[in-house]
Amino acid sequence: MLKVLSTLSLLSIIILLVSCAAPKVEIPVYEGVDVREVLNSKNSISVIDTTFSITFEKDESEMRGEGVLNISRDGDLSLRVYSLGFLALEVTSEKGVIRSSPRIDKIKGRILTEGLRDCLFWWDIEDYEIDEKEGMYLIKNVSREIWLDRKTILPLRQAVSLEDGRELIIHYEDNKKAGDIWYPSRIRIDLLKYSVRLKIKDISFNGSV
């Protein structure tokens, strides 16, 4: 009798845990929808605020921190990176003028300004063409190529050609949802020997889709 009661109690606990589990949210599928319509629907977003874990890598060295970013579609931004609770880096960009404390080299500055702008506002691209390749859409113009998942219309990879001939590469994964907007929560930006990895903790979009 005691064994039966124990089994029933265990079953009750399992049922309770299953019933309390958060329902899985499925990413919407856009098959058959015009890609341009999906991209244009995001054009009302003008500012993104986000917090994230950030890892800087160069050669075999690595630095970790926590980032707080306010960035606008035109590239103006305010970025603060904390390490062990202390402000380790502050970067601002206004109308193309970049300031940082402490001073950072040009490549790192490129990643933390143009790189962040293009990776977060990935849909903001003009005069582009669309190709379909192996379950993906390739969105491209003279300076950018963006590979999108054909079903979710979310980015997988991006290549940005810089005016000096170098190429900035961005990788995306682990899609999550903030309000009504889906976004990649893990991003890696590569330029020459530098690599910056972001794990987004919280994000808000100024505007609605």
Side-chain angles (χ1 to χ4, degrees), residues 133-208:
K133 294 185 178 181
E134 301 176 356
M136 296 181 290
Y137 289 114
L138 173 57
I139 313 296
K140 61 181 180 180
N141 62 13
V142 294
S143 62
R144 295 169 66 193
E145 294 185 346
I146 309 166
W147 287 261
L148 304 178
D149 183 284
R150 188 171 177 177
K151 291 183 178 180
T152 64
I153 317 296
L154 288 171
L156 302 169
R157 183 176 181 270
Q158 182 176 178
V160 182
S161 299
L162 305 176
E163 65 270 12
D164 57 12
R166 293 179 292 191
E167 194 171 54
L168 187 147
I169 304 296
I170 304 167
H171 296 273
Y172 303 88
E173 60 182 337
D174 194 13
N175 297 317
K176 294 188 177 180
K177 189 179 183 184
D180 295 326
I181 302 174
W182 285 89
Y183 66 94
S185 67
R186 292 179 183 268
I187 301 169
R188 189 177 85 242
I189 308 172
D190 297 319
L191 178 59
L192 297 178
K193 296 181 179 180
Y194 276 102
S195 181
V196 174
R197 289 186 285 117
L198 308 176
K199 182 181 178 182
I200 294 176
K201 295 182 174 181
D202 185 58
I203 191 166
S204 62
F205 300 88
N206 183 351
S208 61

Side-chain angles (χ1 to χ4, degrees), residues 37-95:
E37 290 184 11
V38 178
L39 298 182
N40 291 339
S41 70
K42 300 177 185 295
N43 285 339
S44 61
I45 299 172
S46 58
V47 175
I48 295 174
D49 290 286
T50 180
T51 59
F52 46 78
S53 298
I54 184 168
T55 303
F56 298 97
E57 297 176 352
K58 182 184 179 184
D59 299 324
E60 296 182 359
S61 63
E62 181 178 284
M63 187 187 88
R64 298 174 181 269
E66 302 296 320
V68 180
L69 173 68
N70 171 275
I71 186 168
S72 64
R73 186 168 54 196
D74 62 11
D76 288 354
L77 66 81
S78 172
L79 169 67
R80 297 189 303 278
V81 177
Y82 297 86
S83 180
L84 301 176
F86 296 96
L87 182 62
L89 174 65
E90 186 168 17
V91 180
T92 61
S93 178
E94 186 174 357
K95 296 181 179 178

